[in-house]
Amino acid sequence: NGSQPNRWDPSVSPFQSQLNALGDRRQYGMYDARYHSTSPSAIPPDFRVLPERIILVRHAESEGNVDMDSYSFIPDPKVPVTDHGKFQAQNAGQRIKELLEKSGNKDYKLYFFISPYRRSVETFQHLKSVFSENQIDGVQEEVQLREQDFGNFQDPLLKQREKEERLRFGRFFYRFPNGESGADVYDRITIFEDHLVRDINAGRFGRNTTLVLVTHG
């Protein structure tokens, strides 16, 4: 009668059928309820162990925040936090601790990703001081989380002219001499995000784990 043959094999799972182009009625322009968005078989079950939450922490107050001239004689990766910054970091750790304990779960774990820059490392060190050792599941330095590179030793007057030029050129695509553009930072952060998702999919982090990223802003 000219109709398409029914090639659906009920012993084959819907997803395997789709892969093999067998039994998927949509191949014939027909409606197949198994692949409708409301069908439980439309999306594979997600068995991944996901982080409880992801917390972003900007590094505490640094010497560069209180004296911009310090960038002209201290390499950017070596700029430390101030005494007030140390207090800020401990306070941030306390607030994170209160947030986690408020959830009622006393068995939480923390895993840190940090920028290798000194101000980020010192922020992490003071932040983690409010937690016990068995609550820290690990720490990993990630170079992709570093500050945007604005150049090497930064002359204040020259840097001011460059920032004015950036406003005329466009903030996102302007690349500082010997430094990076916003687009460059976007590219490397995307690489970090890809690696993070891959780690999550691979089951790297246990249940009740909170990821804390100590980076720049």
Side-chain angles (χ1 to χ4, degrees):
N1 57 9
S3 62
Q4 290 284 355
N6 183 2
R7 300 163 58 194
W8 176 52
D9 181 357
S11 67
V12 179
S13 71
F15 296 107
Q16 192 60 48
S17 296
Q18 188 175 27
L19 289 174
N20 297 338
L22 297 173
D24 184 350
R25 297 186 184 92
R26 296 172 302 173
Q27 299 294 321
Y28 309 117
M30 301 170 65
Y31 173 75
D32 194 325
R34 295 169 300 159
Y35 300 101
H36 192 271
S37 61
T38 59
S39 170
S41 62
I43 302 175
D46 190 347
F47 296 111
R48 295 176 300 169
V49 177
L50 301 178
E52 192 74 19
R53 56 180 59 80
I54 299 176
I55 298 175
L56 303 181
V57 178
R58 189 256 192 191
H59 68 79
E61 182 185 77
S62 71
E63 293 290 349
N65 294 140
V66 298
D67 181 11
M68 292 294 294
D69 289 349
S70 63
Y71 290 113
S72 64
F73 57 88
I74 303 177
D76 196 2
K78 297 182 179 180
V79 173
V81 297
T82 62
D83 288 339
H84 181 59
K86 296 174 184 177
F87 168 78
Q88 288 180 324
Q90 290 178 328
N91 186 54
Q94 187 61 43
R95 293 181 66 179
I96 292 174
K97 186 175 184 179
E98 292 171 359
L99 172 67
L100 298 179
E101 293 182 348
K102 188 182 296 184
S103 67
N105 184 1
K106 303 299 183 181
D107 298 325
Y108 62 82
K109 300 287 186 180
L110 296 167
Y111 193 98
F112 290 86
F113 289 94
I114 66 175
S115 158
Y117 279 26
R118 180 176 174 180
R119 53 191 179 273
S120 173
V121 174
E122 291 181 348
T123 298
F124 157 71
Q125 291 171 340
H126 291 281
L127 187 157
K128 78 178 182 71
S129 66
V130 304
F131 298 97
S132 62
E133 288 187 9
N134 64 354
Q135 291 174 319
I136 309 296
D137 216 21
V139 57
Q140 181 172 323
E141 286 191 3
E142 284 287 350
V143 69
Q144 290 102 338
L145 294 179
R146 71 187 185 276
E147 175 71 271
Q148 178 177 355
D149 292 331
F150 293 100
N152 297 322
F153 290 109
Q154 301 170 29
D155 177 82
L157 294 179
L158 179 60
K159 199 55 59 180
Q160 183 60 38
R161 287 197 295 268
E162 291 171 358
K163 289 182 178 179
E164 292 171 358
E165 183 180 58
R166 178 177 63 168
L167 292 177
R168 298 196 305 273
F169 187 88
R171 293 178 63 90
F172 187 68
F173 293 106
Y174 179 81
R175 180 176 287 115
F176 287 90
N178 299 314
E180 292 180 300
S181 67
D184 295 327
V185 176
Y186 176 90
D187 288 342
R188 60 174 163 86
I189 291 298
T190 299
I191 293 173
F192 168 77
E193 290 177 344
D194 288 345
H195 291 172
L196 180 59
V197 170
R198 200 175 307 162
D199 284 347
I200 292 173
N201 290 343
R204 180 179 181 186
F205 308 107
R207 296 190 183 280
N208 304 321
T209 298
T210 290
L211 306 184
V212 182
L213 280 58
V214 183
T215 180
H216 303 262

